Amino acid sequence: MLKSFLFLAFLITYIFNKNYYSPVVKSGTSQKLTEALNLLNDFSNSDNSKTAISILEDALQKSTSIEEKAKAEFLLAVAKANSSAEAQYIEGIKTYKAVATNEQYPSYWRALAYNALASNALGKGDNFLRNNIFNTEPFFSMLSNSGPSSPTDIKSGAFSAAIRKLSEKSDELYPTVLPNLRIAYWYSGNLLTNKVDPYLTESEVDSFRKNLDSRFAKANNLLKGTDLSKWDDDELVITNFLQALIWSNEYALSGSADAKKTAEAVFEKTMVIYNKVFREHNRLLAIPFEYAAFLANIYGKEKSAD
């Protein structure tokens, strides 16, 4: 579970900071912001983030509407978070927090900022999280209310629960697919941990199950209403990958033949995208690793060639 979590942490952070936000930013935006977006989506030049930051700082100062200002500041956070310099990356986190907590901004941009914080928090150490994300309100309360007295944190840790709450806040402001999949995955992972090393009461297990089912259903309902033609391969692959992991966990939890069949089908769908786009460049290696682990757990040597 921990290994899967760390792989997934890198994968989600990479994809979010790359272009999860691209389609809506491109819609009706200014030339300056479009120019900055194109720079951020081209990783071939290491100076792109620096150039984009300069453009976006200027655009932020000259924005004449709340919508345009929210876009500019959100993209500024993305540009800083894409920087290889640690100090600049931390500035990106601060800028995401500024967007998330600005009640004048449209709820969509605030939701994206909370989602970005959750993505960037995954896989980080406790000290980084304590000092850079959950060090100010309202984020500190997310952590302080996830203390040892909470049964949900005995195995997952207060920071894990606090990161889940970032996704919950994103969904509260503006429901989208990824936060709900991430929340569902959190609950399924903790239920799987509990199966191996029990720590939840029967009522807590029931509560976790209800949350898992409702979040997964909500994500799938949102997905049905989404125009996937506007998504690029990165977004499609992470969505399918998360679904596959949740179904895989479900099979491990219940032994359901339907869960096994669905997990394998969604993994295969994920691998079609992976093989077409990512395999040649050795990118997102968590995907084939987890697929191989799933096949090995289910079939052993029978599908070793796969």
Side-chain angles (χ1 to χ4, degrees):
M1 176 62 194
L2 178 59
K3 189 178 291 183
S4 295
F5 176 83
L6 293 175
F7 276 136
L8 185 63
F10 171 78
L11 187 61
I12 292 178
T13 304
Y14 164 79
I15 288 175
F16 191 93
N17 280 338
K18 181 178 182 291
N19 55 14
Y20 182 76
Y21 47 81
S22 295
V24 72
V25 177
K26 288 177 181 175
S27 175
T29 200
S30 71
Q31 184 176 348
K32 274 186 176 292
L33 296 194
T34 300
E35 181 184 355
L37 180 65
N38 290 336
L39 285 168
L40 293 175
N41 282 339
D42 177 9
F43 278 64
S44 61
N45 189 332
S46 60
D47 291 330
N48 281 354
S49 288
K50 186 183 297 185
T51 305
I53 288 170
S54 178
I55 293 171
L56 291 163
E57 286 176 339
D58 182 62
L60 184 59
Q61 291 296 321
K62 295 178 180 177
S63 297
T64 57
S65 71
I66 290 295
E67 175 74 21
E68 195 76 358
K69 186 175 181 180
K71 287 183 182 182
E73 191 164 15
F74 178 82
L75 278 180
L76 181 59
V78 174
K80 290 177 177 179
N82 276 331
S83 173
S84 58
E86 183 179 3
Q88 194 69 273
Y89 175 75
I90 291 173
E91 285 300 312
I93 296 298
K94 289 180 181 178
T95 308
Y96 277 134
K97 291 169 71 175
V99 175
T101 56
N102 190 330
E103 295 184 357
Q104 292 186 326
Y105 282 171
S107 59
Y108 182 84
W109 296 104
R110 295 182 62 205
L112 273 187
Y114 271 106
N115 195 22
L117 287 168
S119 296
N120 281 276
L122 288 170
K124 296 293 192 301
D126 289 2
N127 286 338
F128 179 91
L129 296 173
R130 183 181 294 108
N131 295 329
N132 296 290
I133 294 183
F134 299 106
N135 57 327
T136 58
E137 292 293 359
F139 310 99
F140 180 76
S141 291
M142 294 179 181
L143 179 61
S144 61
N145 292 333
S146 299
S149 61
S150 171
T152 66
D153 304 316
I154 295 173
K155 294 293 180 185
S156 65
F159 285 105
S160 174
I163 293 169
R164 189 201 72 228
K165 290 175 184 178
L166 292 172
S167 293
E168 290 171 349
K169 184 64 178 179
S170 174
D171 180 68
E172 176 188 322
L173 286 165
Y174 194 101
T176 52
V177 174
L178 184 57
N180 282 285
L181 285 177
R182 185 160 43 220
I183 295 166
Y185 180 65
W186 187 93
Y187 280 110
S188 73
N190 277 274
L191 284 171
L192 194 55
T193 300
N194 182 72
K195 183 178 180 179
V196 176
D197 184 11
Y199 68 98
L200 298 172
T201 66
E202 186 175 338
S203 64
E204 288 161 356
V205 169
D206 288 342
S207 175
F208 272 41
R209 167 52 69 180
K210 288 177 183 177
N211 279 311
L212 163 57
D213 291 344
S214 65
R215 289 295 181 172
F216 200 25
K218 185 173 185 178
N220 287 318
N221 285 333
L222 287 166
L223 200 55
K224 289 176 184 176
T226 300
D227 183 359
L228 297 181
S229 68
K230 295 182 179 179
W231 284 26
D232 64 16
D233 291 319
D234 295 78
E235 295 164 276
L236 289 170
V237 82
I238 185 59
T239 299
N240 281 286
F241 185 49
L242 270 168
Q243 289 178 310
L245 290 174
I246 293 167
W247 279 114
S248 176
N249 282 354
E250 180 60 31
Y251 173 65
L253 285 166
S254 66
S256 162
D258 286 342
K260 173 187 169 183
K261 182 178 178 180
T262 305
E264 188 165 4
V266 180
F267 262 125
E268 288 173 355
K269 185 178 177 183
T270 306
M271 287 302 296
V272 168
I273 305 171
Y274 176 83
N275 288 330
K276 182 180 76 172
V277 181
F278 304 104
R279 180 180 292 277
E280 180 182 355
H281 306 288
N282 290 322
R283 289 173 57 206
L284 311 185
L285 294 176
I287 292 172
F289 179 91
E290 289 297 332
Y291 181 47
F294 170 77
L295 292 177
N297 288 335
I298 301 303
Y299 298 105
K301 293 183 178 181
E302 181 183 339
K303 287 204 173 185
S304 59
D306 293 346

